[in-house]
Amino acid sequence: MPPTAHAVVLLSGGLDSATALALAREQGFACHALSLDYGQRHDAELSAARRLAAHLGAVEHKVVHVGLDAFGGSALTDAHIAVPEAQGAGIPVTYVPARNTILLALALGWAEVLGARDLFIGVNAVDYSGYPDCRPAFIQAFQDLARVATKAGVEGAGFQIHAPLLHMSKAEIVRAGHRLGLDYGLTVSCYQADPEGRACGRCDACRLRAQGFAEAGLPDPTRYR
Amino acid sequence: MPPTAHAVVLLSGGLDSATALALAREQGFACHALSLDYGQRHDAELSAARRLAAHLGAVEHKVVHVGLDAFGGSALTDAHIAVPEAQGAGIPVTYVPARNTILLALALGWAEVLGARDLFIGVNAVDYSGYPDCRPAFIQAFQDLARVATKAGVEGAGFQIHAPLLHMSKAEIVRAGHRLGLDYGLTVSCYQADPEGRACGRCDACRLRAQGFAEAGLPDPTRYR
């Protein structure tokens, strides 16, 4: 890899994507972090993404608004959504239909502008095996698409879609970030974090995250409310 | 096809996508028209899309905002952009990087919400042969992606990406729409239409369009300024 290779890194503000960014940096990429504002997203996540981009040495960070709320509330009724276990009518903000396809499509657009040929996404097949777009087959299919969808793909060596967490357990992810000095206290995983980013401690995302730190034998820096 | 099959139809407000919508309706689909507001788009095109959705019997029409302007101005410098031939610093509003990948990704998201399994896009390999994402290989790759990216794709018969204009000349497109009663006076193709949607008559899009009507031997209802 040339020393100045650039990568677009999808950064939600959560634990997984922050680790993906840390790993991309470790590989020597100049990282352009990309976050999406879905129109229904917690500000706490986007604030976390901004802090993480700086903390992890991204060369820049963009937040792109995508009005997916226009497609209506059926994310709530879709069978493969991880619904929060907690009380109340919490919207599963971490899910949108065709989520990772849309995320990678936008990352591809930015990569085309930048001349970058590497995209990073923090998907994980272990924790979310029920999500089709978190599997190796999806990553491969998007890489195949990127090759035929763009001028750079057709004329050059194509794009590499990196999913470094794909086969890692949550404990392995936490250990990797810890080794690289990632301050997980800056990340927000909770489906229903408060405006300051403090976690509920009860939803699926909180449970998986706490379990990861416990299994890794590392202190959990999560700020609970 | 069951009588109530639903389709998501990408509708820009231009001649091609309007014809794709007319052809989708002819095939019996209940059509859900989808337009993107890129943040740099002429209001004239979105107004045209709204009128066309009604004119062509779409069951609904949504405009989704996507802040692609955040990726910066390099659409102007990208080598495979059709730059307007006319005077001035006209932005090629019809192009964005990875455009059709992003359009289809959003259409796929809406289709998932609706339970639709058919997407229509008015790409055309003849007029835009320099665009990688207007070729049959791109359409096929996206269809392959859609199968592995979504629950409906994995569990069911997948998605059908319809590109009915793919191999048609502009004259053939115009004849098809004319046969179906499409009022092309409602469409806006010009890269630099005025706020009322009136065309410049000089840019690439205007030239191709006028040529299409001429070759089809049909009156050109385009409103020029």
Side-chain angles (χ1 to χ4, degrees):
Chain A
M1 189 178 70
T4 56
H6 291 250
V8 174
V9 182
L10 290 161
L11 181 67
S12 71
L15 182 150
D16 289 343
S17 65
T19 309
L21 173 54
L23 291 167
R25 284 283 295 132
E26 186 192 29
Q27 291 181 37
F29 286 101
C31 295
H32 302 256
L34 177 60
S35 302
L36 258 61
D37 175 0
Y38 297 137
Q40 58 166 211
R41 186 151 207 177
H42 286 177
D43 283 344
E45 281 188 284
L46 292 175
S47 300
R50 284 189 197 92
R51 289 192 302 267
L52 286 161
H55 170 55
L56 296 169
V59 294
E60 63 177 323
H61 177 226
K62 286 190 189 291
V63 177
V64 171
H65 176 259
V66 182
L68 293 177
D69 45 344
F71 295 154
S74 52
L76 283 172
T77 58
D78 195 310
H80 67 281
I81 297 172
V83 177
E85 291 182 342
Q87 75 291 0
I91 295 165
V93 289
T94 53
Y95 183 82
V96 292
R99 179 180 186 271
N100 290 340
T101 305
I102 294 167
L103 286 169
L104 284 174
L106 291 164
L108 183 66
W110 195 19
E112 230 192 325
V113 172
L114 292 167
R117 297 292 166 262
D118 294 86
L119 312 183
F120 280 77
I121 183 167
V123 296
N124 179 245
V126 176
D127 288 336
Y128 301 98
S129 52
Y131 285 30
D133 60 356
C134 291
R135 297 173 307 150
F138 167 75
I139 299 297
Q140 183 61 53
F142 196 91
Q143 188 163 300
D144 294 343
L145 176 74
R147 177 178 288 276
V148 299
T150 60
K151 194 160 188 283
V154 170
E155 296 179 353
F159 291 83
Q160 183 81 29
I161 316 296
H162 302 258
L165 316 186
L166 200 54
H167 301 292
M168 293 166 77
S169 70
K170 196 63 95 184
E172 287 168 337
I173 293 168
V174 165
R175 277 197 210 101
H178 189 261
R179 174 175 60 79
L180 295 168
L182 200 171
D183 176 3
Y184 282 114
L186 297 175
T187 65
V188 173
S189 301
C190 178
Y191 288 158
Q192 46 193 1
D194 72 10
E196 282 76 44
R198 290 174 301 190
C200 75
R202 289 182 303 271
C203 69
D204 270 3
C206 279
R207 190 178 51 75
L208 277 168
R209 178 184 168 105
Q211 195 178 318
F213 283 106
E215 288 175 11
L218 290 169
D220 182 351
T222 306
R223 296 176 300 126
Y224 294 101
R225 58 173 182 262
Chain B
M1 190 178 70
T4 56
H6 292 251
V8 174
V9 182
L10 289 161
L11 181 67
S12 72
L15 182 149
D16 289 344
S17 64
T19 309
L21 173 54
L23 290 167
R25 284 283 295 131
E26 187 193 27
Q27 291 181 38
F29 285 101
C31 294
H32 303 256
L34 177 61
S35 302
L36 257 60
D37 175 0
Y38 298 137
Q40 59 167 209
R41 186 153 207 174
H42 285 179
D43 284 344
E45 280 188 283
L46 292 175
S47 300
R50 285 190 196 93
R51 290 192 301 267
L52 285 161
H55 170 57
L56 295 168
V59 294
E60 64 177 323
H61 177 224
K62 287 190 190 290
V63 178
V64 171
H65 176 260
V66 181
L68 293 178
D69 45 343
F71 294 154
S74 52
L76 283 171
T77 58
D78 195 309
H80 68 281
I81 297 172
V83 177
E85 291 182 341
Q87 76 290 2
I91 295 165
V93 291
T94 54
Y95 182 81
V96 291
R99 179 180 186 271
N100 290 340
T101 305
I102 294 167
L103 285 169
L104 284 174
L106 291 164
L108 182 66
W110 195 18
E112 229 193 326
V113 172
L114 292 167
R117 297 291 167 261
D118 294 87
L119 314 183
F120 280 77
I121 183 167
V123 296
N124 180 244
V126 176
D127 286 336
Y128 299 98
S129 52
Y131 285 31
D133 60 356
C134 291
R135 298 172 306 151
F138 167 75
I139 299 297
Q140 183 61 52
F142 196 92
Q143 188 163 302
D144 294 344
L145 176 74
R147 177 179 288 276
V148 298
T150 60
K151 194 160 188 280
V154 170
E155 296 179 353
F159 290 83
Q160 183 81 30
I161 315 297
H162 303 257
L165 316 185
L166 200 54
H167 301 292
M168 293 167 77
S169 70
K170 196 65 95 185
E172 288 169 336
I173 293 168
V174 165
R175 276 196 211 102
H178 189 260
R179 174 175 59 79
L180 296 169
L182 200 171
D183 176 4
Y184 282 115
L186 298 175
T187 66
V188 174
S189 301
C190 178
Y191 288 158
Q192 45 192 1
D194 73 9
E196 282 75 45
R198 290 173 301 190
C200 73
R202 289 181 304 271
C203 68
D204 269 3
C206 278
R207 190 179 51 75
L208 277 168
R209 178 185 167 106
Q211 195 177 317
F213 284 107
E215 288 176 11
L218 289 169
D220 181 352
T222 306
R223 295 175 301 126
Y224 294 102
R225 56 172 182 262

